[in-house]
Amino acid sequence: DVFEVVEPEGRRRRIGCKQFELLQVLMKYADGVSREELRSLLWSGAENSNIADVTVHRLRRLLGFGETEGILSVPGGYKLVG
């Protein structure tokens, strides 16, 4: 499945299902979410994997975010800002 995200400027971006689910989790956990929580919520059975990091990296790239905007790395996890 592919989802379309519309940015405030009106640009449309297409993202995959897991990337959309990740974005939903980041919006739900406004104070941030740990890598372990992400893996548990989105990828059961991937406890020792870097799948969360890889998916965050891809989502940042697709949405045009740098390392210091949009999805921030916080100690142990990630936080959506802006």
Side-chain angles (χ1 to χ4, degrees), residues 33-40 43 52-53 73-78:
V33 61
S34 72
R35 287 174 176 85
E36 291 79 22
E37 287 175 292
L38 284 175
R39 286 191 298 259
S40 173
W43 299 278
D53 298 327
S73 295
V74 296
Y78 297 99

Side-chain angles (χ1 to χ4, degrees), residues 23-43:
L23 193 54
Q24 287 180 309
V25 169
L26 290 169
M27 287 188 287
K28 181 178 179 180
Y29 293 88
D31 292 331
V33 61
S34 72
R35 287 174 176 85
E36 291 79 22
E37 287 175 292
L38 284 175
R39 286 191 298 259
S40 173
L41 291 166
L42 301 176
W43 299 278

Side-chain angles (χ1 to χ4, degrees), residues 3 10 13 18 49 78:
F3 295 86
R13 306 281 183 154
K18 279 297 179 194
S49 170
Y78 297 99

Side-chain angles (χ1 to χ4, degrees), residues 1-78:
D1 292 335
V2 175
F3 295 86
E4 196 168 73
V5 177
V6 180
E7 297 177 349
E9 301 83 23
R11 286 183 294 180
R12 296 178 182 272
R13 306 281 183 154
R14 296 169 59 108
I15 62 175
C17 184
K18 279 297 179 194
Q19 294 159 339
F20 184 76
E21 290 174 1
L22 171 62
L23 193 54
Q24 287 180 309
V25 169
L26 290 169
M27 287 188 287
K28 181 178 179 180
Y29 293 88
D31 292 331
V33 61
S34 72
R35 287 174 176 85
E36 291 79 22
E37 287 175 292
L38 284 175
R39 286 191 298 259
S40 173
L41 291 166
L42 301 176
W43 299 278
S44 61
E47 291 81 22
N48 296 319
S49 170
N50 70 340
I51 190 83
D53 298 327
V54 171
T55 306
V56 166
H57 174 76
R58 289 179 180 162
L59 184 58
R60 280 177 173 156
R61 189 179 70 232
L62 285 170
L63 297 179
F65 293 147
E67 292 286 325
T68 59
E69 61 183 349
I71 302 172
L72 297 184
S73 295
V74 296
Y78 297 99

